[in-house]
Amino acid sequence: MKKYDESGDICKPDIDLSEYGILEGISETIVSTGLDNPNAAPIGIIRKNQKTFVRIFKGSHTGENLVREGVLVANVVYDPLLLVRSTFFDIESSEFDFVDIGGKKFPVLKSAISWVAFRCTNLKDTEQTVISDLVPLGAGFFEANRRAIPTPNRGFNAVLEATVHATRYQLSGDEKYLEWIRHYETLASKCGGDSEKKAMKLLYEVLGI
């Protein structure tokens, strides 16, 4: 028997999120939203105490789409330049593909290794964020990207940390974040490749440093 969530969408409780890269703790993904006008932004998918949920800042395109449409796609991506671009810029529509789940076309990043589409339920407002439980609706792989899964790379992780600190610097203007960004830039240059170096160069351009 098919199981449905409260919206009438078919839900897939049998999906093993770990198989698609959504692990216990916080999995740093690039979330795509907007069924008609796709948007992408780095968002952590949280798995804790047998629950899967997300916190998204109010006022962002991602937050607005989540509240309006009630769905999102978590894309597992190992592209440092895309990480930075999706944080500070709009992603070109040509970078998305669409998958049909229950009659809806969900935007998926073409560069993703894997993706999981979620229904957003039990929305809760806080002063700055929207918190939503996530119910998996479907999942998949891009096999060409899957064959090129990289080994753990401190350079990529350094870009990730630098990008997080860059958003905090923009919000607060606290100089300590610039110190941490420069620390991670050194690590990205030492341990990363051309993509990590290009990503850090773009990050510096965004911040004007």
Side-chain angles (χ1 to χ4, degrees):
M1 178 182 295
K2 292 181 179 178
K3 296 183 179 180
Y4 295 82
D5 68 10
E6 67 274 11
S7 71
D9 286 325
I10 298 173
C11 59
K12 298 289 186 179
D14 56 326
I15 290 176
D16 184 349
L17 296 179
S18 298
E19 290 186 7
Y20 299 91
I22 309 297
L23 308 177
E24 289 288 328
I26 302 177
S27 296
E28 299 295 343
T29 70
I30 298 181
V31 162
S32 49
T33 57
L35 301 179
D36 297 320
N37 186 23
N39 173 72
I43 301 289
I45 303 298
I46 306 166
R47 290 182 64 191
K48 184 177 181 181
N49 298 329
Q50 298 184 334
K51 288 184 62 176
T52 304
F53 61 100
V54 68
R55 293 190 185 96
I56 297 178
F57 280 105
K58 292 180 177 179
S60 65
H61 292 311
T62 300
E64 292 169 357
N65 289 338
L66 183 153
V67 172
R68 182 175 64 253
E69 299 177 342
V71 292
L72 62 80
V73 178
N75 301 274
V76 176
V77 178
Y78 292 94
D79 182 337
L81 193 54
L82 179 58
L83 175 69
V84 174
R85 289 197 296 113
S86 63
T87 301
F88 299 104
F89 303 97
D90 292 331
I91 301 302
E92 295 292 332
S93 59
S94 60
E95 297 181 69
F96 294 93
D97 201 351
F98 289 86
V99 295
D100 189 305
I101 302 174
K104 292 181 180 179
K105 299 289 187 179
F106 286 74
V108 178
L109 286 169
K110 292 179 180 179
S111 58
I113 290 173
S114 62
W115 56 268
V116 182
F118 292 99
R119 163 68 57 186
C120 304
T121 67
N122 300 324
L123 271 64
K124 301 179 182 68
D125 281 337
T126 70
E127 184 176 346
Q128 295 182 327
T129 65
V130 174
I131 303 173
S132 174
D133 292 339
L134 299 177
V135 178
L137 299 175
F141 295 95
F142 285 112
E143 289 299 332
N145 300 335
R146 189 180 184 184
R147 289 194 293 270
I149 293 178
T151 57
N153 185 293
R154 293 178 70 197
F156 175 81
N157 292 337
V159 173
L160 173 61
E161 293 296 332
T163 304
V164 172
H165 291 314
T167 61
R168 292 172 178 170
Y169 173 70
Q170 285 193 324
L171 289 172
S172 69
D174 192 327
E175 295 288 325
K176 71 180 180 183
Y177 294 117
L178 291 181
E179 296 178 14
W180 292 344
I181 290 167
R182 292 189 175 100
H183 165 75
Y184 284 113
E185 191 277 332
T186 300
L187 187 58
S189 296
K190 179 180 178 181
C191 300
D194 287 342
S195 294
E196 285 77 15
K197 293 172 184 176
K198 289 178 180 177
M200 286 305 308
K201 180 180 178 181
L202 179 58
L203 187 62
Y204 273 37
E205 290 174 357
V206 169
L207 298 179
I209 58 177

